[in-house]
Amino acid sequence: MQNWIIDGYKAELTLNEQNLETGIIDLDGAAAHYFDLSYDNKKDRRLLIYYEGREYPSYGQNQREPKLALSKALTSRLIGVFPDYKQYYSEAHEGERPKLIFDKTGSDEYNLRLVLPWNKAIGLKQDLFEFLGTGKNLGKLKDSYDVVFVRELFDNLDNQGNSDVFMVSGKLKRRLEKRLDATGKIDEQAENNIDNLKEAGLDEILSFLLDHQYPKLSEKDFIRISQTNDHFLFQLNPALQTELSTDDRNFIVKNMDQKLEAYYAREDAPSLTDSFENLMFDYDTYFTKDFRYSFKDLITDSIPDALMNLGVVDLTKYDIRGFAGVDDWALVPYISVTDKESSRIRDTGLYIAYLLNKDTKHLYLTLINGFLPLEEELKHQGLEGEELLEALNLALLQKADAYRGLMSMGTFSKDADKVELPDKRYENGIIAYKLYDKRAPLEETIREDLSELMGLYETALGLNP
């Protein structure tokens, strides 16, 4: 059995030759639990593993001896980074060994790092991809200016890893001008905007980038400024330049285009009031229909995107996700705001949630404590059936009461016993709430209420009742 070290959301494995040759990794009990595999469920579990920004579907195999099966594409990519692995394992080595480090970012999503102790540049490259985020996720980027800057920087790199600062500035200006001409705005959510974009010279554009976008990458040691003759250049860290392939650079450019399209789609999305109204009054119609209906996109994409666009939630610290169900419509659909460090798995830890009662058309904005950890703990104690539910509901109520006793809830109600939901596990986990009764709130009300609850959430995260 391979040696795993599990620490919260991270799992570390000492890599062996067989792992690279077959893509199969043995899981001990703790590792099986980390990948959400259970001995009483024989079905394989599909997992999304991200490595250097790319998505590799893999599988957790529920067997008598659980295993993780990495996709062939991922295994090939790891071998590409570590091509001399056969020679390495044929020799005796002392000190730190090659490792795989998994970081759980969602219920079935993981970021993966390959650690080769003798090659620090690989680590810097993986830092870059984690900084940029996966798919439409902005990672540590905050607004469209950041995304366009990274795009033009990598799109204009020469073979030595240099981009002319004025070339980048000019192309960024032209791209933002197209946005301005098409919509009459550049980025309403950005903390800083370029005034009078069309009249601004390249010196002004560059000065703006040096003040706001450049420091975010230079502080991580990804880029620096160099000078060749009379030309000033954005220069990749030489170690990073060595590790990044042409495919990597092209991937980053395409990924920035993907992020930018998603970012602008959020900015131009229908109003939150209309979206919540559709959720409140149409969900029960779809509840009895096939789960493949695109209505679930309202919950998983449209409303989360619009909430991101409010500018209330710091997306570098918090995730916004919608849940419409797994294989069928959820009894209680919701859109959640979760702290990335404290709760990355659905229905765990403290989080904010918009919870819908499809029958009464009531929408609740709540601060809630997830039921899943308590439920698992009680199952391990041997409880099941009605006895399990009774003990779980009591534990949830006690936990919620403990939080309410330690903090003021402002304009939010503490009378959670007045909440009605078809799943008591959500109902009894509510610490504070605000009811929207058969009518969706106006966007300004949504902004004000969510902003207030974000403050309460931050306070609650610092408590340990």
Side-chain angles (χ1 to χ4, degrees):
M1 184 63 65
Q2 291 189 249
N3 183 36
W4 285 86
I5 299 175
I6 311 294
D7 183 11
Y9 292 117
K10 292 187 182 294
E12 180 181 300
L13 169 75
T14 300
L15 190 64
N16 66 32
E17 184 176 359
Q18 184 182 16
N19 299 147
L20 290 169
E21 290 182 340
T22 66
I24 301 298
I25 300 173
D26 294 329
L27 304 177
D28 59 20
H33 185 265
Y34 175 81
F35 289 103
D36 295 323
L37 303 178
S38 60
Y39 296 104
D40 57 350
N41 183 359
K42 300 305 180 185
K43 295 177 64 175
D44 290 349
R45 180 179 176 84
R46 187 174 185 271
L47 307 172
L48 293 180
I49 296 180
Y50 292 91
Y51 178 70
E52 295 185 345
R54 299 161 177 86
E55 178 183 304
Y56 297 94
S58 301
Y59 289 90
Q61 298 179 338
N62 269 312
Q63 305 172 0
R64 188 166 203 160
E65 296 180 354
K67 299 181 186 299
L68 176 63
L70 304 180
S71 72
K72 290 183 178 179
L74 175 54
T75 305
S76 296
R77 192 161 188 89
L78 295 174
I79 291 174
V81 178
F82 189 13
D84 55 349
Y85 73 96
K86 284 183 177 293
Q87 179 181 345
Y88 174 88
Y89 286 113
S90 69
E91 301 168 351
H93 293 276
E94 295 182 359
E96 195 172 355
R97 308 279 285 185
K99 299 181 186 300
L100 291 180
I101 298 178
F102 296 84
D103 186 11
K104 192 166 194 169
T105 57
S107 294
D108 54 5
E109 296 179 2
Y110 302 82
N111 279 332
L112 175 64
R113 292 178 69 97
L114 169 63
V115 178
L116 302 179
W118 58 88
N119 191 334
K120 302 301 182 186
I122 291 175
L124 186 62
K125 177 184 177 182
Q126 293 173 148
D127 287 342
L128 172 66
F129 279 106
E130 289 182 10
F131 180 87
L132 298 178
T134 57
K136 297 185 294 183
N137 189 306
L138 292 185
K140 299 300 182 183
L141 307 177
K142 295 202 71 171
D143 54 40
S144 63
Y145 287 94
D146 291 350
V147 176
V148 176
F149 174 66
V150 172
R151 187 208 184 281
E152 301 305 339
L153 170 70
F154 279 89
D155 195 37
N156 290 280
L157 285 174
D158 62 21
N159 291 333
Q160 284 73 49
N162 299 317
S163 286
D164 184 278
V165 296
F166 289 109
M167 181 72 74
V168 172
S169 300
K171 290 195 172 183
L172 178 139
K173 179 182 179 183
R174 287 193 290 276
R175 185 171 289 272
L176 296 182
E177 283 177 336
K178 287 182 180 180
R179 168 71 176 171
L180 183 61
D181 290 340
T183 65
K185 60 186 178 182
I186 302 174
D187 187 342
E188 294 181 338
Q189 303 306 316
E191 292 182 6
N192 301 282
N193 269 289
I194 298 174
D195 297 326
N196 302 315
L197 176 68
K198 288 184 175 293
E199 290 76 29
L202 292 187
D203 284 334
E204 295 174 80
I205 302 293
L206 176 59
S207 178
F208 181 90
L209 296 177
L210 292 178
D211 285 342
H212 303 294
Q213 278 64 54
Y214 169 77
K216 297 174 184 178
L217 276 74
S218 65
E219 288 171 0
K220 297 292 185 180
D221 203 24
F222 299 143
I223 63 173
R224 58 197 64 172
I225 289 186
S226 65
Q227 182 178 1
T228 302
N229 298 324
D230 294 330
H231 294 284
F232 285 91
L233 306 167
F234 292 119
Q235 180 187 51
L236 283 184
N237 181 315
L240 188 57
Q241 158 68 7
T242 300
E243 290 298 328
L244 284 173
S245 66
T246 300
D247 177 64
D248 288 328
R249 296 179 187 179
N250 291 337
F251 174 82
I252 289 172
V253 172
K254 291 179 181 178
N255 184 231
M256 292 304 111
D257 287 337
Q258 180 186 11
K259 293 180 193 300
L260 196 62
E261 181 181 357
Y263 186 92
Y264 286 152
R266 291 198 295 268
E267 277 221 322
D268 303 334
S271 77
L272 261 172
T273 300
D274 291 342
S275 295
F276 274 129
E277 196 90 2
N278 291 339
L279 172 64
M280 295 168 74
F281 288 92
D282 294 343
Y283 187 80
D284 66 331
T285 301
Y286 287 91
F287 185 74
T288 57
K289 295 183 178 181
D290 194 292
F291 190 56
R292 289 174 292 182
Y293 273 89
S294 62
F295 180 79
K296 64 177 175 290
D297 295 343
L298 176 72
I299 301 166
T300 59
D301 294 319
S302 300
I303 294 178
D305 285 352
L307 288 170
M308 293 178 195
N309 197 41
L310 280 179
V312 171
V313 179
D314 182 350
L315 299 178
T316 65
K317 294 175 59 180
Y318 301 96
D319 273 328
I320 302 179
R321 300 193 182 196
F323 179 68
V326 179
D327 298 316
D328 208 347
W329 298 99
L331 197 60
V332 180
Y334 61 82
I335 298 91
S336 64
V337 180
T338 57
D339 176 70
K340 292 181 179 180
E341 293 304 314
S342 64
S343 179
R344 303 184 190 178
I345 304 171
R346 194 171 59 244
D347 299 325
T348 65
L350 285 173
Y351 60 99
I352 289 172
Y354 290 91
L355 303 170
L356 175 68
N357 185 323
K358 63 181 178 59
D359 300 316
T360 64
K361 316 300 184 193
H362 287 169
L363 181 68
Y364 299 93
L365 173 57
T366 67
L367 177 62
I368 186 170
N369 185 51
F371 63 82
L372 195 57
L374 286 170
E375 188 175 66
E376 289 187 349
E377 181 181 335
L378 292 169
K379 285 181 179 179
H380 285 309
Q381 294 175 16
L383 300 184
E384 57 185 22
E386 289 298 321
E387 187 180 15
L388 170 64
L389 289 176
E390 183 178 342
L392 175 60
N393 287 324
L394 178 60
L396 287 168
L397 287 169
Q398 291 174 338
K399 191 77 169 178
D401 280 340
Y403 276 105
R404 286 192 286 265
L406 294 174
M407 56 189 292
S408 170
M409 296 302 172
T411 66
F412 282 75
S413 175
K414 293 184 177 183
D415 298 327
D417 57 333
K418 295 181 179 179
V419 174
E420 294 181 358
L421 291 170
D423 189 330
K424 293 294 183 183
R425 297 176 301 176
Y426 292 104
E427 185 178 304
N428 292 324
I430 292 174
I431 298 166
Y433 75 96
K434 187 164 286 192
L435 167 65
Y436 304 119
D437 186 2
K438 300 179 182 178
R439 175 167 293 183
L442 297 176
E443 190 150 319
E444 187 55 38
T445 301
I446 296 172
R447 179 180 284 106
E448 291 175 357
D449 290 347
L450 182 56
S451 180
E452 180 183 357
L453 193 56
M454 286 298 299
L456 296 178
Y457 184 29
E458 290 185 6
T459 298
L461 287 170
L463 301 176
N464 186 25

